[in-house]
Amino acid sequence: MYMVAYIYTALILILGVILLIWMISGARHVVRGVCEIKDIRSKKKEDRKKKILNLLKGKTKVSNKELREKLKVSSKTIVNYCDELEKAEKIKQVGKVGRSAYYKLK
């Protein structure tokens, strides 16, 4: 009777270890997938910032609205990208906020 209980306990323990190993290996794939998504987003972001610079090369100034329409992203996204480009000293914002504000190459 005790021998059967020990066998069941050993089997449950073995199955638990197998399940744990399976879960850990699956988690690695999830982490890898998240990293790939971050890489894709980062590449998209850099591509969009390059598009902003290319649009500015062809014009003397570009508004947030123009950039928004060309890149098909939100106004806040354009502001974030342009802020990063300003920090990198590639563009300059003229005007504080609103319709009178625009961006130009530095």
Side-chain angles (χ1 to χ4, degrees), residues 10-61:
L11 285 174
I12 290 171
L13 181 64
I14 291 169
L15 287 173
V17 169
I18 291 170
L19 181 63
L20 181 65
I21 292 169
W22 179 72
M23 288 173 61
I24 290 171
S25 68
R28 234 182 281 138
H29 295 294
V30 170
V31 170
R32 189 176 304 130
V34 169
C35 290
E36 288 172 5
I37 289 170
K38 285 183 180 179
D39 289 343
I40 291 168
R41 286 182 179 167
S42 179
K43 185 179 179 331
K44 248 185 179 179
K45 182 179 184 178
E46 292 306 312
D47 288 345
R48 288 176 175 163
K49 288 183 348 186
K50 285 179 187 175
K51 284 182 183 178
I52 290 171
L53 291 173
N54 286 335
L55 286 168
L56 283 166
K57 284 180 186 174
K59 298 183 176 187
T60 56
K61 63 182 184 178

